[in-house]
Amino acid sequence: MKQLHKTLKEKREHEGYSQEYIAEKLKVSSSTISRWETGAISMSVVQIYNYAKALDMDEGDLLASIARRRQEIPLPFVRLNIDVFDEETYGRMMELVKELGPQHIILQTKL
């Protein structure tokens, strides 16, 4: 939730809106906006939706941007398990891994 609060605050500031302006649009106090943005109080799904709309944000885009920020490494598109039983084949597989580079492969081995 911390990321949600940060994203809403950053968007509000980027648009040049004051907490008072958003509070008026949402019919809440400016201190409520402040507490939402600092995470002092939780927001309901409806409040998140209304806040996003007040900022002209699509709520789906808001949630997607939060998910992207939290993801430290990309998830693989394919998980492939290969059992290698001889040293020569293992060596050839490692050569392929080197060619692709570490940014493309997550390697797990068992001895």
Side-chain angles (χ1 to χ4, degrees), residues 13-90:
E13 290 174 342
H14 177 75
E15 295 296 325
Y17 298 145
S18 67
Q19 288 181 340
E20 291 77 16
Y21 173 78
I22 297 297
E24 186 177 311
K25 286 186 85 165
L26 299 179
K27 298 181 178 24
V28 297
S29 69
S30 58
S31 65
T32 296
I33 299 297
S34 176
R35 289 182 295 192
W36 282 345
E37 291 180 350
T38 61
I41 58 174
S42 297
M43 299 173 75
S44 71
V45 173
V46 172
Q47 290 166 331
I48 294 167
Y49 175 84
N50 290 337
Y51 198 130
K53 287 297 179 191
L55 297 172
D56 294 322
M57 293 179 78
D58 177 82
E59 63 280 359
D61 290 343
L62 170 65
L63 298 176
S65 72
I66 292 166
R68 281 191 301 273
R69 286 185 183 183
R70 295 188 71 199
Q71 189 173 343
E72 294 176 14
I73 59 171
L75 298 176
F77 291 114
V78 175
R79 181 180 194 129
L80 178 63
N81 294 316
I82 301 175
D83 293 326
V84 178
F85 296 103
D86 62 74
E87 197 171 321
E88 180 185 349
T89 305
Y90 180 79

